[in-house]
Amino acid sequence: MSAALSRLTATARVEVPFHDVDAMNVCWHGHYLKYFESGRAALLRAIDYDYPAMRASGYMWPVVEAHLKYVRPAAYGQRLDVRTTLLEFENRLKIGYEIVDSESGERLTKGYTIQFAVDAVTHELQFVCPPALTARVEARCE
């Protein structure tokens, strides 16, 4: 990852709601992907390519891979910072995540997702990211 690309980061704050925890007051593992989504949306807004802009550009961006590493559990009412970083964008969109406790900064979860551009009309996979994304990223890396 280039130094310029590493500056493309965003943070979203989330609070673990009651309906996300189990009887042990621990956040169910599947909800962390929802928190990743909050971070991803913040990062995409930072480069002016949030979901409405994606749709307007004629591309869908399905998540095709997700990797999570659980370090420590989150609990009901805990405030979390979801830190996101754009790792790759030339041929696919790879976003890195780190979920930390908002107060202590202690890492709870880390991971990444991979998305590919798909033409919204033909549903054809794009093997190179479209200019609608690359131009926005490059403009912010200058």
Side-chain angles (χ1 to χ4, degrees), residues 21-80:
V21 298
D22 60 20
M24 304 301 286
N25 196 38
V26 172
C27 183
W28 179 66
H29 69 277
H31 290 301
Y32 289 87
L33 285 169
K34 181 171 51 176
Y35 306 152
F36 277 18
E37 179 63 31
S38 295
R40 181 171 46 248
L43 180 65
L44 293 173
R45 279 192 300 276
I47 62 172
D48 193 31
Y49 200 60
D50 198 4
Y51 295 104
M54 284 182 178
R55 186 173 38 251
S57 74
Y59 296 96
M60 301 180 292
W61 290 82
V63 172
V64 297
E65 184 177 338
H67 176 81
L68 290 86
K69 169 100 175 156
Y70 302 101
V71 180
R72 299 190 53 78
Y76 167 69
Q78 189 172 9
R79 288 180 180 84
L80 311 174

Side-chain angles (χ1 to χ4, degrees), residues 7 20 25-26 60 69 73 83 90 95 110 114 120 131-132 138:
R7 290 192 310 254
D20 280 4
N25 196 38
V26 172
M60 301 180 292
K69 169 100 175 156
R83 300 173 182 164
E90 291 88 359
I95 299 175
K110 64 180 183 174
I114 295 175
E138 290 168 354

Side-chain angles (χ1 to χ4, degrees), residues 5-135:
L5 190 57
S6 69
R7 290 192 310 254
L8 289 177
T9 63
T11 300
R13 174 140 316 155
V14 297
E15 184 174 326
V16 179
F18 176 74
H19 59 266
D20 280 4
V21 298
D22 60 20
M24 304 301 286
N25 196 38
V26 172
C27 183
W28 179 66
H29 69 277
H31 290 301
Y32 289 87
L33 285 169
K34 181 171 51 176
Y35 306 152
F36 277 18
E37 179 63 31
S38 295
R40 181 171 46 248
L43 180 65
L44 293 173
R45 279 192 300 276
I47 62 172
D48 193 31
Y49 200 60
D50 198 4
Y51 295 104
M54 284 182 178
R55 186 173 38 251
S57 74
Y59 296 96
M60 301 180 292
W61 290 82
V63 172
V64 297
E65 184 177 338
H67 176 81
L68 290 86
K69 169 100 175 156
Y70 302 101
V71 180
R72 299 190 53 78
Y76 167 69
Q78 189 172 9
R79 288 180 180 84
L80 311 174
D81 287 336
V82 183
R83 300 173 182 164
T84 56
T85 304
L86 184 61
L87 301 175
E88 296 177 25
F89 73 98
E90 291 88 359
N91 299 315
R92 62 186 187 170
L93 192 57
K94 183 175 182 181
I95 299 175
Y97 306 87
E98 181 181 42
I99 298 178
V100 301
D101 178 86
S102 295
E103 289 183 25
S104 69
E106 181 179 28
R107 179 189 289 166
L108 304 176
T109 305
K110 64 180 183 174
Y112 63 85
T113 57
I114 295 175
Q115 296 169 257
F116 282 100
V118 175
D119 186 287
V121 175
T122 65
H123 298 274
E124 292 179 3
L125 177 67
Q126 306 299 298
F127 292 103
V128 175
C129 286
L133 171 67
T134 57

